[in-house]
Amino acid sequence: MTVTVLPPAERTGTLPVSMIERMTLILDAFDAASPALTLLELVERTGLPRSTVHRILDQMIRLRWLAHTSGGYRLGMRTLELGGLTADHNEIRDAVGPLLHELSQRTGMVGHLAVLDGRDVVYLDKAGGRFAAALPTRLGGRMPAHATALGKAMLSALEPAIIDTAYRTRLPRLTPRTLSEPEALRREVSQIRLRQGVAVDREEAVAGIACVAAPLRGRGRAPAALSLSGRADGMSYDRLARVVLEVAHEAGRALLPRR
């Protein structure tokens, strides 16, 4: 990361008031040439009062955004962890995105690429025509895993004990068809494993919308999956299951050389 730092005299406008803006100023002060900075250097680079910088530094160290070293301060483990997640997600999208968009064009349906984060699905990519705008999904958006084909496909790649621990109480319903009982979800995931991870959402996330998904194999980190969505009344589940599974296998192979 390269940062152009303006000296205090060249700064425009007033100093940021919110804590987030001030933390961002401090984080942006670090670059490849200055991996460690003293308190004075941080004050000069941010233009913030010394007492303010010192107070924020203490909090950022406690939260692992920064670490205190003999040479001053450096970026902490939390920034490295988040950077690793971002790189991993970008790698998946770069490798699988072209396949997803080609699949969407070929079938005329909306394609999604997602990873599992806790009990949520996080969308990394979305492909489709005008119908895609009708779906309440977006890049970086989340949906409960138990209510989506993507989520159930990824849950099938986990050990049953993990699912038992994560899903113990009644689950929120997005539609009348959403699986809300943990035992029902466990049975569904068991059946999905027998279908090589192919999962189906029959109006469980969005009324009137159905989805077929399959997991990406050979990952090694958080599970990922891709899917096709369309109107429930015109969905050919068996045909789409074969297509999605084939492309998911191809996407898994596309990821392997990068790992």
Side-chain angles (χ1 to χ4, degrees):
M1 176 176 65
T2 303
V3 178
T4 302
V5 181
L6 298 177
E10 296 180 31
R11 293 187 184 275
T12 59
T14 59
L15 292 174
V17 175
S18 75
M19 176 63 76
I20 292 177
E21 290 177 307
R22 293 178 175 187
M23 286 178 60
T24 302
L25 267 182
I26 291 173
L27 291 173
D28 284 348
F30 296 88
D31 57 27
S34 308
L37 295 170
T38 64
L39 174 60
L40 179 59
E41 289 170 331
L42 285 168
V43 169
E44 291 175 345
R45 292 190 175 208
T46 61
L48 295 171
R50 180 188 178 99
S51 59
T52 299
V53 174
H54 191 270
R55 183 177 68 254
I56 295 175
L57 288 176
D58 286 343
Q59 297 180 56
M60 294 180 75
I61 290 172
R62 179 169 53 83
L63 295 172
R64 299 192 303 122
W65 287 111
L66 296 177
H68 200 186
T69 68
S70 58
Y73 301 88
R74 61 172 175 78
L75 296 176
M77 288 302 299
R78 188 180 291 270
T79 57
L80 298 177
E81 291 164 359
L82 291 177
L85 286 174
T86 301
D88 188 50
H89 292 174
N90 288 341
E91 181 183 11
I92 298 170
R93 186 170 59 248
D94 291 344
V96 182
L99 294 172
L100 181 74
H101 285 256
E102 190 277 332
L103 176 63
S104 177
Q105 289 181 345
R106 177 154 54 98
T107 60
M109 307 191 76
V110 180
H112 288 103
L113 171 67
V115 292
L116 191 66
D117 182 23
R119 303 206 313 178
D120 289 341
V121 161
V122 179
Y123 294 99
L124 301 185
D125 205 350
K126 181 178 182 179
R130 289 191 302 174
F131 180 61
L135 297 183
T137 53
R138 61 177 178 79
L139 271 62
R142 291 173 176 264
M143 289 281 277
H146 72 275
T148 66
L150 283 164
K152 291 187 291 184
M154 290 186 281
L155 290 175
S156 73
L158 301 178
E159 293 293 332
I162 297 177
I163 299 175
D164 292 344
T165 301
Y167 295 94
R168 291 180 173 178
T169 59
R170 188 175 176 83
L171 308 170
R173 280 191 166 183
L174 276 62
T175 75
R177 294 177 176 245
T178 306
L179 293 176
S180 59
E181 297 297 336
E183 183 56 35
L185 177 64
R186 284 193 284 269
R187 287 196 301 268
E188 174 91 354
V189 171
S190 295
Q191 291 298 314
I192 292 169
R193 291 194 185 99
L194 299 178
R195 300 195 299 264
Q196 301 182 64
V198 174
V200 174
D201 155 19
R202 292 179 172 87
E203 302 183 70
E204 296 167 43
V206 181
I209 303 298
C211 182
V212 178
L216 274 57
R217 303 295 185 181
R219 290 268 302 112
R221 288 197 180 183
L226 56 80
S227 70
L228 286 175
S229 300
R231 300 192 186 281
D233 55 8
M235 182 72 75
S236 175
Y237 294 101
D238 291 339
R239 180 181 66 84
L240 290 176
R242 291 192 294 270
V243 172
V244 169
L245 186 61
E246 177 185 346
V247 176
H249 287 167
E250 184 178 354
R253 291 192 295 270
L255 277 172
L256 284 175
R258 297 165 178 248
R259 296 191 173 277

